[in-house]
Amino acid sequence: MSLQSFLSNIWTEIKSLFSGMPSELQTAIHIGVVVTQNIKNFVDSSAADVLTAIIPGDIDDEIKNWLRAKLPAILTELKLADSCSGLTDPAAITQCAIKVLQGLDADIQAPFLHSLSVLVAQVAADGKLTWSDGVYLLQWYYQHEYQAFA
């Protein structure tokens, strides 16, 4: 069996797992990818509220409020906002973390963004998504669903 066919079999199994998952977990994974993609695309925007700019407008208001409250803490935990440790405003913490991300080499930035996706999806799933499942499912979703329609 070649490496390519082996990896293809793994992705097929993950797709099957994803398809059989409850819709709220599928939504959480989508949110994790979209929020992280929005952070990745956010470059010194003139948007007054960075959190509004990066959190998708079409998600449930309760999840939006959770993300607005939790995202700065997640960014701080990832040590992306250490250089701005004196900040208390969630938008300022988020902007600081984005500037730190912008300064990272692409090879270092990618793992941070992947971890961020999983953490955001876990928040959106209200703890119903494990880290290990999230790692594989978000990677599969990003490569096979999100990028396919982007």
Side-chain angles (χ1 to χ4, degrees), residues 14-15 17-18 21 29 129 132-142:
I14 292 174
K15 181 176 184 174
L17 176 64
F18 186 81
M21 206 185 285
I29 289 168
L129 180 68
S132 56
D133 289 344
V135 167
Y136 295 111
L137 291 169
L138 270 98
Q139 184 69 28
W140 176 85
Y141 181 81
Y142 179 75

Side-chain angles (χ1 to χ4, degrees), residues 17-30:
L17 176 64
F18 186 81
S19 299
M21 206 185 285
S23 64
E24 61 269 7
L25 289 180
Q26 290 181 17
T27 299
I29 289 168
H30 173 76

Side-chain angles (χ1 to χ4, degrees), residues 6-105:
F6 176 73
L7 292 174
S8 179
N9 288 340
I10 289 173
W11 287 129
T12 301
E13 289 300 317
I14 292 174
K15 181 176 184 174
S16 172
L17 176 64
F18 186 81
S19 299
M21 206 185 285
S23 64
E24 61 269 7
L25 289 180
Q26 290 181 17
T27 299
I29 289 168
H30 173 76
I31 291 168
V33 169
V34 171
V35 168
T36 304
Q37 193 64 36
N38 287 344
I39 287 173
K40 184 178 175 187
N41 294 334
F42 189 84
V43 179
D44 297 322
S45 172
S46 61
D49 182 358
V50 65
L51 290 169
T52 299
I54 62 175
I55 297 173
D58 62 344
I59 62 172
D60 180 68
D61 286 339
E62 186 175 323
I63 293 173
K64 251 189 248 189
N65 291 335
W66 262 64
L67 287 172
R68 289 181 68 83
K70 298 283 186 181
L71 189 58
I74 291 170
L75 294 170
T76 300
E77 287 294 317
L78 284 174
K79 305 297 184 205
L80 288 175
D82 272 357
S83 62
C84 308
S85 61
L87 299 174
T88 56
D89 176 52
I93 292 169
T94 305
Q95 282 182 318
C96 178
I98 288 170
K99 286 185 183 186
V100 170
L101 270 171
Q102 289 171 338
L104 295 177
D105 181 75

